[in-house]
Amino acid sequence: MPSTPVTVAHSPEASTARTGILLMLLGMLMFSLNDVMGKWLVSTYSVGQVVFIRSIAALVVLAPFIWFNGPKKIVQVDQPWTQAARVILSTAEVFAFYFAVIYLPLADVMTYWLAAPIYVAAISPFILKEPVGWRRWSAIILGFVGVIIALEPSSQALTPQAVISIFGSIAFAFMLLLGRTLRSTPDTTLVFWQIIGAGLAGLAWICFEWTPVTMRDLLLLGLLGIVAMLAHVLVNRALKLADAATVAPLQYTLLFWAILFGWMVFGDVPRMSMLVGSGFIIASGLFIFFREQQLKRQGRMKQPAEAVVAGSGDGA
């Protein structure tokens, strides 16, 4: 008797991919909730205070993973100077993010951070010696046009807060770029040192500025670190269950949540220039990603294309 064929819709691979998609969407929602709570808390407490307490909470969550993988792997790292540079960049990125959201709508800040993959594509030929053809250069230029549109460069709109956002997103891009040279380093090790770097910077900050914390806000600050760690766990799991080409584009749902939560929680109405600019940035980022996936399949890229999650970025 011939066996019954298994349809694609009910195959184990399709089921696994659907699970990966759901986990990625949930991870993006968790990142967005983390950003909303962060914006809420930095209106009362200093950036350093918020970063320090959330780092402590994140370390508590990360501790079992460190123990399971072996504490020795945390201190025995390859390319220590590259690791240190990545920690410095990740610390600068998270501080820039929280400074930016104090003054700017979440959707605006998220738009600038979503441009990070475009910066990576533009910088990689000069640092990693990765060839970039005319198609991706065209997409890169399109992405930069989107950033300029979103910025509304004028004496009234080009504020220090917008400049800080651009600085933070560029730091995030360089952090991602260095991550490409540290592929042999376990994710737990990378995240651990990012948390330590941000936590130490926050500790130095609170030595000069400290606001008494209510019990409710202390719980929220702790939850901030837990939610961010959970978001990273969900995203990493999604990338293991489904192909990056399937789940990586879902990172752009961050902008949807930023617009929705910004309007619901903070009363922010998105600017037309931000919406138009973000459209250019998303189109550029998607083209670059899928083009790199195509080159990877053809064996024309030394470094495989990877998913980039733009959010508060530091994983702490």
Side-chain angles (χ1 to χ4, degrees):
M1 182 178 177
S3 60
T4 304
V6 178
T7 62
V8 174
H10 295 88
S11 66
E13 292 81 4
S15 178
T16 300
R18 285 196 296 271
T19 302
I21 290 171
L22 290 174
L23 291 179
M24 189 70 169
L25 289 172
L26 183 57
M28 294 303 98
L29 174 59
M30 298 298 286
F31 271 125
S32 299
L33 290 173
N34 174 75
D35 295 340
V36 170
M37 287 191 295
K39 181 175 174 64
W40 181 277
L41 290 165
V42 291
S43 65
T44 303
Y45 305 100
S46 70
V47 173
Q49 196 169 345
V50 170
V51 171
F52 175 71
I53 297 177
R54 76 192 286 267
S55 297
I56 295 297
L59 278 177
V60 172
V61 177
L62 191 64
F65 297 95
I66 295 173
W67 181 260
F68 178 78
N69 292 323
K72 287 185 178 180
K73 292 183 179 179
I74 297 298
V75 294
Q76 296 175 347
V77 296
D78 297 327
Q79 306 179 59
W81 289 110
T82 304
Q83 297 276 3
R86 188 175 183 276
V87 169
I88 293 171
L89 288 168
S90 67
T91 301
E93 177 265 332
V94 71
F95 271 81
F97 182 87
Y98 282 121
F99 272 118
V101 296
I102 293 174
Y103 305 101
L104 296 177
L106 269 178
D108 287 46
V109 178
M110 192 54 60
T111 296
Y112 302 135
W113 253 256
L114 286 173
I118 300 168
Y119 303 149
V120 171
I123 298 167
S124 59
F126 306 102
I127 295 182
L128 299 182
K129 307 302 180 184
E130 294 179 355
V132 175
W134 67 268
R135 294 179 182 86
R136 278 185 290 165
W137 275 120
S138 299
I140 289 167
I141 293 171
L142 179 68
F144 279 117
V145 170
V147 172
I148 292 172
I149 293 173
L151 270 174
E152 288 185 82
S154 67
S155 58
Q156 290 77 27
L158 192 57
T159 62
Q161 293 78 28
V163 173
I164 289 174
S165 293
I166 295 297
F167 166 78
S169 63
I170 292 174
F172 182 46
F174 273 100
M175 186 189 81
L176 295 172
L177 203 63
L178 290 180
R180 290 191 175 190
T181 68
L182 297 171
R183 294 183 185 278
S184 61
T185 304
D187 290 340
T188 303
T189 303
L190 292 174
V191 173
F192 173 80
W193 289 111
Q194 285 177 225
I195 295 172
I196 292 297
L200 290 175
L203 178 62
W205 187 287
I206 64 175
C207 290
F208 302 96
E209 182 179 3
W210 174 266
T211 301
V213 184
T214 65
M215 182 55 66
R216 184 202 66 176
D217 288 350
L218 184 61
L219 292 174
L220 287 175
L221 286 164
L223 187 61
L224 196 63
I226 294 171
V227 168
M229 284 300 303
L230 180 58
H232 273 273
V233 170
L234 290 168
V235 170
N236 287 337
R237 186 59 180 167
L239 290 169
K240 293 180 185 300
L241 293 175
D243 188 83
T246 301
V247 296
L250 298 176
Q251 69 173 308
Y252 293 106
T253 59
L254 282 168
L255 185 59
F256 166 77
W257 291 120
I259 293 173
L260 180 62
F261 289 143
W263 173 66
M264 291 178 59
V265 180
F266 305 106
D268 296 330
V269 178
R271 297 176 295 112
M272 181 55 66
S273 59
M274 184 279 295
L275 294 175
V276 174
S278 65
F280 278 69
I281 291 169
I282 290 173
S284 171
L286 287 174
F287 179 85
I288 290 169
F289 176 77
F290 285 116
R291 178 60 179 165
E292 290 184 352
Q293 287 287 310
Q294 183 183 40
L295 294 175
K296 175 188 172 183
R297 289 192 297 270
Q298 296 173 356
R300 293 163 59 187
M301 281 191 70
K302 294 181 180 179
Q303 299 288 346
E306 59 185 9
V308 174
V309 177
S312 54
D314 65 321

